[in-house]
Amino acid sequence: MSSRQFPEGFLIGTSTGAYQIEGGNVNSDWWEWERQDGTPCLERSGDACDFYHRFREDLALMAGLGLDSFRFSIEWARIEPSEGEFSQAELDHYRRVLAACHEHRITPIVTFQHITLPIWVQRLGGFTSDRFPALFERYCDRAAGALGDLMRYASTINEPDGLGTGGFVLGINPPGRRGDLDGMRRATANLLEAHRVGAAAIRSHASVPVGVTLALTDLQYEDGAEAGDEPIELNSDVSDQFLELARADDFIGVQTYTRARIGPQGPRGPDVDWSQRRSETEDTTLMGYEYHPQAVGRTILRAWQGAHGTPILVTENGIATSFDEKRIAYIETALREVQACLNQGVDVRGYLYWSFLDNFEWSLGFRPTFGLVAVDRRTFARLPKPSAYWLGAASRTHAIPDQPR
Ligand code: BGC
C-alpha cells in the first residue's frame, strides 16, 4: 500500500445537519430563536439550501463526484411536531432520502439529533428537562423503527459535549443563557442518559454500528499554564465523560476543526468573537479559528485512548474559507494525520468532510463557507468547487490525490 493509500472499505464522504441545509424547519427551536430580540443570530435560516426538496439532485451530484458516504440528520421537530404525535409523511420523506443514498451506492450515516429540538421540547426545559432522556428514547424508538433498516451507521446526538456550554455558558444556542453552570450540568447529565437510552432504542431496531459524535478540540496546555474553567475546558471535561460512555458503543464520531491553546495567562491564539464573522488571514479561518489541520490527528488519538479502542469515524472536519486551495491544503494535511493514526494501529473507519454544501452556520448565518459545493442563495444552484472534485478523487481511488491541485 502506498503512503497515500487508505485501506479498502475506508469511507471518504461529507457531513451535514438537517437544520443547516433542509430549510423551512418551522417547528424547531432555532426557528423561533432566530426571530427573538437579543440573540446573537446574524441571519435567519429560511429556505437554507432547500435540501428538503433537492436531496435527489444533491445525492446524484455527490455520487457523480465520487463521494462514497454521506452523514445527515433527521429533524426531530418534523418527525414529532407535537408531543407524542408522529408524522408518517415525514418518516416516509426520510425513507426516500435513505433510498436515494442506496440507489447511488452512498453509505448513509444518520444522526438523530443535530443541535435543534422541537419547540415543544424546548418549552418543557429542553436538555434540562427531567423528561428529556425518556422523550428522546421514544423518538429514537419510533424513528429507528421506521428507518433503521436503511441506515448503515447511526449516531444519537451531535456534539452533546458542546450543547451544555453552547446553551448555558456561552449563550450561542437556545435557550441562550450565559454563565449558568448549574443549567450546563443538568443538561449534561440528561444528555449522557439520553445517549445511553437512545442508543439502546436504536439498537433494538437496527443492526448497524451505533455511537455518538463528539466535539473534540485539541486542547493544549503550554508550560506554566494551569487547568481552569474556561468554556473550552468545561467542554473538554464533558467530552471525557462521553468518551467513557462510548466504551460501550460500536463507534465514536470524532469532530474537530482546530486546536485551543491555554497559556499561563489563559487562552491563546485567535480570540473567537461569535458575534461576527472575522475576515480570515493566512493563519485563521472564516470562523476566526486558528488554521490548524493537524488537530484531527491528536483528537483521534485522544478518542482512541479515552474510549479504550472503540472504532473511530471522523464525522466532521473542515474549514470555513473563501480560498478553495486553502481548503484542499487543509484536507490534505488532515488526511495525512488520519493515515498516521492508521499506521499506528488506530481503527479509523472513515473521514467525512464538513460540509458538502455552503450552509447555515448557526448564529453566523451563511457567512462562513465550509462547503465543497457553493449554493447560489437566490436560485439554489449548486456550484462544485475544485475541492469537491479533489475529495471525490480521494474517495474513488482510496488515496490522497497526487495530481496538482
Ligand atoms: C457542528 C456543525 C457546525 C460545524 C462547524 C460542529 O460543531 O456539528 O453543526 O456547522 O461544527 O462550525
Side-chain angles (χ1 to χ4, degrees):
M1 208 161 75
S2 95
S3 67
R4 294 178 162 265
Q5 206 72 33
F6 288 98
E8 202 46 48
F10 185 89
L11 300 173
I12 297 184
T14 60
S15 191
T16 59
Y19 194 85
Q20 298 175 265
I21 56 171
E22 283 183 348
N25 272 313
V26 299
N27 278 319
S28 299
D29 58 350
W30 259 83
W31 189 269
E32 202 169 65
W33 206 55
E34 286 161 22
R35 282 156 186 77
Q36 277 168 21
D37 291 336
T39 72
C41 300
L42 299 180
E43 274 179 278
R44 295 178 177 183
S45 54
D47 288 325
C49 304
D50 195 27
F51 177 79
Y52 188 81
H53 299 106
R54 292 166 198 260
F55 70 88
R56 286 183 204 287
E57 294 92 316
D58 281 333
L59 286 162
L61 173 60
M62 222 176 271
L65 289 165
L67 298 162
D68 65 16
S69 44
F70 179 48
R71 172 174 176 250
F72 66 97
S73 71
I74 53 176
E75 190 73 2
W76 186 354
R78 286 188 188 271
I79 293 175
E80 190 180 1
S82 303
E83 184 173 347
E85 210 173 298
F86 289 85
S87 165
Q88 189 57 46
E90 294 290 3
L91 289 167
D92 289 346
H93 168 80
Y94 288 119
R95 271 196 87 77
R96 289 192 287 270
V97 178
L98 284 157
C101 290
H102 290 288
E103 275 160 37
H104 290 291
R105 298 180 177 277
I106 289 172
T107 299
I109 297 155
V110 179
T111 309
F112 279 63
Q113 191 263 335
H114 193 118
I115 315 248
T116 50
L117 291 174
I119 289 175
W120 64 267
V121 176
Q122 188 59 258
R123 295 230 165 99
L124 292 173
F127 302 121
T128 59
S129 164
D130 293 345
R131 297 183 58 206
F132 180 74
L135 292 171
F136 183 67
E137 180 184 22
R138 180 176 61 180
Y139 155 66
C140 288
D141 180 60
R142 291 295 288 263
L147 307 169
D149 59 321
L150 295 179
M151 298 176 183
R152 290 299 169 262
Y153 276 86
S155 83
T156 51
I157 304 168
N158 176 71
E159 301 191 344
D161 46 347
L163 291 173
T165 40
F168 299 89
V169 179
L170 296 167
I172 53 168
N173 287 338
R177 288 215 276 277
R178 287 169 172 269
D180 177 1
L181 291 179
D182 181 53
M184 183 205 129
R185 288 193 190 104
R186 277 187 294 137
T188 300
N190 284 338
L191 284 158
L192 285 159
E193 179 61 11
H195 168 61
R196 223 190 320 258
V197 295
I202 298 170
R203 281 194 189 100
S204 73
H205 294 284
S207 27
V208 298
V210 181
V212 64
T213 61
L214 299 180
L216 293 173
T217 299
D218 171 13
L219 191 56
Q220 302 183 1
Y221 288 95
E222 297 182 340
D223 286 348
E226 281 176 26
D229 55 4
E230 292 293 333
I232 193 72
E233 295 174 290
L234 296 173
N235 209 82
S236 183
D237 289 345
V238 181
S239 304
D240 286 336
Q241 295 177 50
F242 273 97
L243 285 174
E244 203 177 315
L245 202 58
R247 291 174 194 168
D249 284 335
D250 309 304
F251 81 99
I252 176 149
V254 166
Q255 314 199 153
T256 294
Y257 292 87
T258 187
R259 68 175 167 183
R261 284 180 293 165
I262 311 277
Q265 259 49 267
R268 293 224 302 114
D271 176 21
V272 176
D273 180 350
W274 284 98
S275 67
Q276 49 191 283
R277 178 187 71 160
R278 293 300 183 85
S279 53
E280 70 192 298
T281 66
E282 210 178 306
D283 304 326
T284 63
T285 77
L286 285 176
M287 295 294 284
Y289 296 163
E290 181 187 3
Y291 177 91
H292 191 71
Q294 296 82 351
V296 73
R298 282 177 50 109
T299 46
I300 288 173
L301 294 176
R302 177 177 168 196
W304 181 243
Q305 280 147 16
H308 288 189
T310 301
I312 286 169
L313 194 57
V314 177
T315 40
E316 285 186 29
N317 178 247
I319 177 172
T321 178
S322 316
F323 305 104
D324 200 52
E325 325 79 73
K326 189 172 169 186
R327 185 182 336 277
I328 295 175
Y330 181 99
I331 307 175
E332 180 164 0
T333 305
L335 288 177
R336 287 191 177 281
E337 290 284 332
V338 173
Q339 281 182 332
C341 292
L342 286 163
N343 291 338
Q344 288 175 58
V346 181
D347 184 2
V348 191
R349 304 277 169 94
Y351 174 92
L352 305 173
Y353 176 80
W354 182 278
S355 182
F356 182 57
L357 301 170
D358 281 343
N359 63 18
F360 178 71
E361 181 52 37
W362 307 113
S363 59
L364 303 180
F366 293 94
R367 298 161 190 212
T369 43
F370 277 95
L372 298 180
V373 176
V375 178
D376 183 306
R377 300 267 359 110
R378 200 176 50 81
T379 63
F380 301 110
R382 278 34 177 173
L383 308 160
K385 304 174 192 178
S387 55
Y389 299 101
W390 188 90
L391 195 67
S395 186
R396 275 197 314 274
T397 59
H398 278 101
I400 300 177
D402 56 7
Q403 80 258 27
R405 289 186 216 126

